[in-house]
Amino acid sequence: MALASNSSRSNIEAKIFHHAGWKESFSAIVGGDEVKAGKPSPEIFLEAAKRLNMDPSSFLVIEDSIPGVTAGKAAGMAVVAVPSLAKQSHLYTSADEVINSLLDLQLEKWGLPAFQDRIEGTLPLEPWCIGGPVIKGFGRGSKVLGIPTANLSPEGYSAILSEHPAGVYFGWAGLSGRGVYKMVMSIGWNPFFNNTEKTIEPWLLHDFNEDFYGEELHLVVVGYIRPEATFSSLEALIAKIHEDRKIAERALELPQYLKYKDDPYLESSLHQEN
Ligand code: ADP
Ligand code: MG
C-alpha cells in the first residue's frame, strides 16, 4: 500500500503524523516534490509502483480528485474515485468506478482481499449520536407511502452530518416519555438548501397512534446499510426501503448492535422536562 500526493513530502508527514499507525501502514509515501510532474501526470503513481517493485497494472488507485483520476489511468492503473464534493460523480467518468464514500469500497471487485467487517448486510460504525425536537419535514408525503420520517431540526447538527456520507443507516431512537425503538434512516441532500445542507430522516420501526412533532428525539446510529440510489419507480423505492427496514430490524438483535439500546443518550430523552 502506497500513498501518493501532490502535497510536499513534509506536509504529508505533518498531516498523517497525528494518526497512530498511518505512516507505518504505507510501504511507500511519494510527495509532489519527489517527482518532476505531479498529478495529472502519471509520474507520481509510477514512482510509487517502482518503490514497491511491482507492475503498475497490479495497483488499484483510490482518488478523490479529477487530476488524480487522470494520473492513475495514465499510469495504467485501475481507479476508484471517491469525489470529495457531493454530486460531482458525473465529472469523474474516466474512473473505473465512482463511489459515494469509502464505506462503499469493495476491494474484492479489484482482485484484492475483501473487508471482513460487514455483518448480515450491515457495516458496523463507531456509534454517533444526534438529537433534537421533531420538526415538520419537507412535504415529500412519506406518510402517504406508509413510511413516516421524523425530521430533526437542522440547528446545530450540520457539522456532525457533514462527517457522514449520504446513505441509509440504522440504530436506536429514544423518544421523550415514550421509549426506545429500532430505527432505519436516510441521510440525504436537502433540496431546499442547494445541496449544501444534509437532512436526516429516521423512520421509527413502531406503530404510533399519533404524530409527535415538537417532541425530543435522540438517535444513536450504529451501522450503515447502503448508499443513496435512484429508482425507476416509486414501487421500487418503497420495496427497497422495506428491505432496509428488515435488514435493520434483524441486525439490531445482534449483541453488537443490541447493546446500544441501553445507551444513556437514548434514556436522557425519556426524562425531558416540558
Ligand atoms: P414530515 O414531512 O413532516 O416529516 P412525514 O410524512 O415524514 O412528515 O411524517 C413524519 C411524522 O409522522 C413524524 O414527525 C412523526 O410526528 C409522525 N410519525 C408517526 N409514526 C412515525 C414513525 N413510525 N416514525 C417516524 N415518524 C412517525
Ligand atoms: Mg419526514
Side-chain angles (χ1 to χ4, degrees):
M1 191 153 70
L3 177 60
S5 167
N6 274 1
S7 299
S8 69
R9 176 65 188 248
S10 61
N11 278 352
I12 298 172
E13 302 222 349
K15 280 182 192 171
I16 65 174
F17 170 79
H18 303 279
H19 302 281
W22 283 25
K23 191 176 178 203
E24 297 70 36
S25 59
F26 296 106
S27 306
I29 296 176
V30 189
D33 52 342
E34 297 178 82
V35 289
K36 278 195 227 83
K39 305 170 192 181
S41 159
E43 199 186 335
I44 202 161
F45 287 126
L46 295 174
E47 177 62 23
K50 198 168 121 193
R51 292 197 200 168
L52 267 63
N53 198 21
M54 286 170 67
D55 194 77
S57 66
S58 62
F59 282 78
L60 171 67
V61 170
I62 300 164
E63 257 295 342
D64 67 333
S65 77
I66 294 170
V69 170
T70 306
K73 289 316 296 176
M77 299 177 176
V79 179
V80 172
V82 193
S84 42
L85 295 172
K87 308 271 181 198
Q88 297 291 303
S89 53
H90 60 288
L91 300 174
Y92 288 74
T93 44
S94 59
D96 296 289
E97 187 187 18
V98 182
I99 56 177
N100 180 54
S101 81
L102 290 174
L103 298 176
D104 300 319
L105 182 60
Q106 290 179 285
L107 292 177
E108 64 276 21
K109 280 192 183 173
W110 309 98
L112 292 162
F115 290 123
Q116 300 291 327
D117 44 4
R118 277 209 164 243
I119 37 168
E120 303 202 12
T122 68
L123 183 66
L125 300 175
E126 192 57 48
W128 54 277
C129 299
I130 196 163
V134 175
I135 58 158
K136 282 268 175 195
F138 302 93
R140 289 182 192 140
S142 47
K143 225 177 273 172
V144 179
L145 310 179
I147 304 166
T149 56
N151 299 58
L152 289 171
S153 161
E155 224 151 291
Y157 74 70
S158 64
I160 184 163
L161 278 190
S162 72
E163 289 171 29
H164 299 282
V168 177
Y169 296 77
F170 66 98
W172 295 100
L175 192 56
S176 61
R178 295 179 190 249
V180 174
Y181 309 95
K182 292 176 175 175
M183 67 90 187
V184 63
M185 65 178 216
S186 75
I187 294 179
W189 292 98
N190 182 342
F192 287 9
F193 289 96
N194 200 18
N195 290 346
T196 58
E197 285 268 4
K198 279 180 191 154
T199 56
I200 180 166
E201 307 234 2
W203 179 23
L204 277 53
L205 304 179
H206 177 83
D207 280 329
F208 294 91
N209 294 322
E210 69 280 301
D211 289 342
F212 41 85
Y213 290 113
E215 294 183 29
E216 191 72 13
L217 176 66
H218 283 196
L219 307 177
V220 175
V221 183
V222 300
Y224 173 77
I225 298 177
R226 63 172 177 88
E228 281 184 308
T230 49
F231 294 91
S232 54
S233 69
L234 200 56
E235 289 71 29
L237 168 66
I238 294 171
K240 190 68 178 175
I241 297 172
H242 280 279
E243 202 182 296
D244 296 333
R245 172 181 60 86
K246 281 189 201 136
I247 291 170
E249 269 179 337
R250 225 179 304 135
L252 286 164
E253 294 297 325
L254 298 169
Q256 99 176 78
Y257 294 131
L258 187 60
K259 66 180 184 212
Y260 295 109
K261 192 180 180 181
D262 301 323
D263 193 293
Y265 182 70
L266 298 166
E267 195 59 30
S268 66
S269 73
L270 306 180
H271 306 296
Q272 288 273 325
E273 285 162 44
N274 74 19

